[in-house]
Amino acid sequence: MNGTTTKRCYCRSEETGKPLGTACPKFKQRTHGVWSLRQELPPNKDGERRLFRRAGYDTKTDAQTDLDKVRALLNITEKEDKEGRRRLGDMLETVGASKDPLPDYDETKRKFATGQSLTQHMTVAEWLELWLDGKKSLRKKGKDRYEVDIRVHLIPRIGHIRLDRLTVPHLDEMFAAIAETNIEINDANILRRTALDELKLIPWKGLENRRRRKAIKETIDAMPPFRRITGVATQHHIKATLRAALNAAIARGSIIFNAAAHVELEAHRRPKALVWTEERIAEYLRTGIKPSPVMVWTPEQAGIFLDFLADTGERLYGLFHVITFRGLRRGEACGVRRTDRNRAAGTLTVATQLVQDGWEVIENAPKTDSGERVIDLDQYTDEILDDQALRQDAERLTYGEAWIDSGRLFTMPDGSFIHPGWLTDYFERLVELSGLPPIRLHDLRHVAASLMLAAGVDIKIVSETLGHSESRITRDIYQSVMPKAAREAAEATAAIVPRGAARRAEQTPAEAATADPRVEQVAQTAIDHLVAQIFAAAGEGGRTVEEITQTALAHLAGQAADAVANQDGHATGTQNGAKIIEFRPRRVPA
């Protein structure tokens, strides 16, 4: 198609006032006048001719450069592709009318190849909404989390920016603004809390006091309400949401650069679970501050809690028992159905969960695909669930027609499902009544993981029982080494380190006991005294010395075995290489 560049002079005749044009004496000067370009475009959908015009160039070179760009854009597709050339013509007509810069050739070629609009530019907000609407297979809770990130943070701050113009500095500015907002929220919370504390100190009686109270209340009403800051973990989630959305845009060919992948944020470390040792309990009682947001009971403490539930006849004892030993999530424990239990096979299928949305409860699939799993139950847990079923049958008879058949394994007394939020509050009250150091309901899941790991269960089996997608998650999040297990590991490590000539010779227990001459003398005196007692007993009781000696040795062997078994709360026997933690909570009678 034809295209030309032309020069025009805007000088006018002093006599007639008409443009001089080429008659201007300065027309041939290179710096005089302005250049323009003119390029014919493909006909529109009605077959009408149209032109791309642009003026205001200082030199012919500048005008020719843009003319070459226009021709290159028109030649992105073959001349035989009339529909494609019409689309390119529509784009150039729009650009010419709006006086926008000419589109980038590579970007236009990519959009043309992927079938995207060449005349409309999508904003970040438009893409985020389109992307979220397309997440059809996403579980509701996950989609709600994405929706909060998009609605509260991303659209208000960067939604107006063109998607293909989003840069790393845009996102740096967004997170800097979030940090500034956090400071404002924190300051406002401090002012409101200070005003409330001052209000509590003012007496109710007296005219002046009432006036002061009224004035402070009015001040508090004018203050913004308490708000939560956008913490480091939330900022990382916002970044992850945007990164996922931009990756989808790259896959569609809308953009070629993911700005969210190159934003640096403050490091966020998931809190490690700590065990409630005696020292930590003492410090907590002194200060009221938990050593970590995630705390785990020892096996003995877990046993005390379950025994407390058994002694008080807690009707939901079975639910807490299953969470403690099998690590069900809160929603999974509330959602498990009676039909999910296979009594003959000794298994429990986790196939559904009750999710709290606000205060509304929604039934969903487990958190992840790996969360849908079959859990093996030990014989004792089966007995606990049998008792639970008997109790539920008795409650069904008591309520009669008022009974609500929710089909759940664990229910409220009237048969309705257990609200997850209510269960959390109820668990906290039970922990307080038990006198044990506080943990969250979700921390019972940590307890289950720690018990299995301390008992020597393979990390892969623990991961599958908890419903994790991979064992690395279990290792990083849930593994809390019990103090006694840690001591055993330390002793085992020290025992295998070679020490050369300086290393002490290995001693048997008997040799270690008699290494000191004074110890040997005391031991010999005790043996002589024992022999004398055996002979005296044989003379008085009519039994032989051999019979009395065998009885004494058997008694001593039994005491030694009891001492070893009770030494640290773990049994010395093994089962397939796993330690057996020795505590057996009492069952709750149905």
Side-chain angles (χ1 to χ4, degrees):
M1 291 183 180
N2 297 327
T4 59
T5 59
T6 57
K7 185 179 181 181
R8 185 175 180 180
C9 173
Y10 291 96
C11 295
R12 294 180 178 271
S13 171
E14 293 181 358
E15 298 177 355
T16 63
K18 295 181 179 181
L20 295 175
T22 57
C24 177
K26 299 180 181 180
F27 187 79
K28 293 184 178 181
Q29 295 180 10
R30 189 177 62 177
T31 58
H32 185 72
V34 293
W35 288 85
S36 62
L37 64 87
R38 179 177 179 276
Q39 173 64 50
E40 186 176 358
L41 299 176
N44 61 20
K45 61 181 180 179
D46 296 328
E48 299 173 349
R49 294 183 62 187
R50 48 188 174 170
L51 295 172
F52 178 87
R53 295 187 179 91
R54 181 153 291 185
Y57 297 98
D58 295 331
T59 66
K60 181 178 181 179
T61 302
D62 293 340
Q64 187 63 46
T65 300
D66 271 7
L67 180 59
D68 293 340
K69 289 182 179 179
V70 172
R71 289 171 174 171
L73 290 168
L74 288 173
N75 292 329
I76 283 178
T77 186
E78 296 83 2
K79 292 183 179 180
E80 293 76 15
D81 183 8
K82 294 183 179 181
E83 177 60 26
R85 293 182 70 83
R86 185 186 63 77
R87 288 181 57 206
L88 293 168
D90 292 342
M91 176 195 68
L92 288 171
E93 184 181 27
T94 303
V95 170
S98 63
K99 303 187 184 319
D100 290 336
L102 288 172
D104 179 74
Y105 175 83
D106 293 331
E107 179 183 344
T108 303
K109 186 176 181 179
R110 185 182 69 253
K111 287 185 175 181
F112 182 83
T114 55
Q116 299 178 56
S117 173
L118 302 179
T119 57
Q120 295 179 351
H121 302 290
M122 185 176 294
T123 64
V124 172
E126 291 170 341
W127 170 246
L128 289 174
E129 292 173 350
L130 182 65
W131 171 75
L132 187 61
D133 289 341
K135 305 291 286 183
K136 304 299 183 182
S137 61
L138 197 64
R139 290 179 173 86
K140 186 180 186 306
K141 195 165 186 180
K143 192 169 184 177
D144 287 346
R145 184 66 187 273
Y146 280 145
E147 194 270 338
V148 169
D149 290 342
I150 292 171
R151 175 177 53 82
V152 177
H153 301 285
L154 294 174
I155 288 182
R157 298 185 185 276
I158 61 172
H160 61 284
I161 301 172
R162 269 180 53 174
L163 181 63
D164 56 348
R165 298 288 185 263
L166 184 64
T167 63
V168 175
H170 286 139
L171 302 186
D172 288 337
E173 184 179 348
M174 178 184 72
F175 285 110
I178 289 176
E180 293 176 1
T181 303
N182 284 343
I183 295 174
E184 296 173 0
I185 291 174
N186 190 53
D187 291 344
N189 288 344
I190 291 174
L191 289 175
R192 186 177 182 87
R193 191 174 294 108
T194 302
L196 289 171
D197 292 340
E198 182 180 354
L199 183 63
K200 292 178 182 178
L201 297 176
I202 300 176
W204 286 85
K205 295 182 178 180
L207 179 61
E208 184 61 28
N209 289 335
R210 287 196 295 271
R211 288 175 178 172
R212 287 180 59 197
R213 292 183 64 86
K214 181 179 179 181
I216 293 178
K217 284 183 178 180
E218 290 175 351
T219 302
I220 293 174
D221 292 339
M223 291 179 177
F226 284 117
R227 291 185 294 167
R228 296 178 59 183
I229 65 170
T230 305
V232 176
T234 303
Q235 292 180 40
H236 278 271
H237 197 278
I238 295 169
K239 174 184 173 181
T241 299
L242 180 60
R243 184 173 182 175
L246 295 181
N247 279 336
I250 290 175
R252 291 193 179 191
S254 301
I255 57 175
I256 60 174
F257 175 71
N258 191 331
H262 302 277
V263 176
E264 292 189 8
L265 299 177
E266 180 183 348
H268 168 65
R269 292 178 176 84
R270 190 186 297 269
K272 293 291 184 181
L274 297 180
V275 180
W276 274 116
T277 61
E278 294 181 1
E279 294 77 9
R280 288 171 181 154
I281 294 175
E283 183 66 13
Y284 169 74
L285 294 175
R286 187 180 69 84
T287 64
I289 301 174
K290 292 171 62 176
S292 169
V294 181
M295 298 303 297
V296 181
W297 282 333
T298 63
E300 292 78 10
Q301 291 164 344
I304 291 172
F305 178 70
L306 293 178
D307 282 345
F308 165 76
L309 298 183
D311 292 340
T312 56
E314 172 56 47
R315 60 176 303 278
L316 292 179
Y317 170 74
L319 181 148
F320 294 116
H321 176 96
V322 172
I323 295 178
T324 302
F325 283 95
R326 298 286 83 188
L328 269 65
R329 298 179 176 91
R330 179 185 70 169
E332 294 169 349
C334 294
V336 66
R337 299 161 298 199
R338 290 192 296 268
T339 55
D340 293 330
R341 183 192 177 200
N342 188 330
R343 182 64 178 88
T347 60
L348 189 67
T349 301
V350 179
T352 186
Q353 65 171 344
L354 297 183
V355 179
Q356 183 177 342
D357 182 18
W359 190 249
E360 182 184 359
V361 176
I362 301 171
E363 184 170 5
N364 257 344
K367 184 177 180 182
T368 60
D369 291 338
S370 54
E372 299 182 14
R373 60 201 187 277
V374 178
I375 297 175
D376 291 313
L377 303 177
D378 58 275
Q379 181 180 354
Y380 182 61
T381 300
D382 267 330
E383 296 173 2
I384 295 294
L385 294 182
D386 287 341
D387 292 343
Q388 184 78 28
L390 292 174
R391 179 191 293 273
Q392 193 176 84
D393 290 340
E395 291 172 343
R396 181 185 293 106
L397 293 175
T398 301
Y399 275 82
E401 294 182 358
W403 172 264
I404 302 173
D405 191 3
S406 63
R408 307 295 168 182
L409 186 62
F410 307 109
T411 65
M412 300 299 286
D414 63 351
S416 60
F417 67 81
I418 298 174
H419 193 290
W422 175 88
L423 184 63
T424 295
D425 296 338
Y426 187 60
F427 173 76
E428 291 177 358
R429 291 200 298 271
L430 291 176
V431 172
E432 186 176 358
L433 291 173
S434 70
L436 289 166
I439 66 171
R440 305 170 305 165
L441 176 59
H442 190 75
D443 293 338
L444 273 187
R445 182 169 158 84
H446 297 256
V447 171
S450 298
L451 290 178
M452 286 185 278
L453 292 167
V457 179
D458 185 82
I459 188 73
K460 179 65 175 175
I461 298 177
V462 177
S463 179
E464 292 174 353
T465 302
L466 296 173
H468 289 157
S469 57
E470 53 185 35
S471 58
R472 176 188 59 80
I473 299 176
T474 310
R475 187 180 295 107
D476 292 346
I477 301 177
Y478 289 97
Q479 184 170 4
S480 301
V481 180
M482 295 299 174
K484 293 161 187 171
R487 283 200 302 271
E488 292 175 4
E491 293 292 346
T493 303
I496 65 173
V497 177
R499 297 297 300 277
R503 186 179 181 183
R504 294 191 309 170
E506 295 184 358
Q507 298 176 323
T508 64
E511 291 171 340
T514 59
D516 190 334
R518 293 171 297 177
V519 175
E520 184 176 357
Q521 182 179 0
V522 172
Q524 186 60 50
T525 302
I527 292 173
D528 293 342
H529 180 67
L530 178 61
V531 171
Q533 286 185 324
I534 290 174
F535 276 101
E540 296 176 359
R543 292 186 296 171
T544 65
V545 174
E546 290 78 6
E547 291 175 346
I548 297 176
T549 301
Q550 290 176 357
T551 302
L553 290 175
H555 179 68
L556 290 173
Q559 287 185 332
D562 290 340
V564 172
N566 295 326
Q567 184 178 5
D568 63 356
H570 295 357
T572 57
T574 61
Q575 181 177 352
N576 297 329
K579 297 177 187 175
I580 301 173
I581 299 175
E582 275 239 328
F583 77 88
R584 181 180 174 89
R586 292 183 289 278
R587 292 167 55 189
V588 178

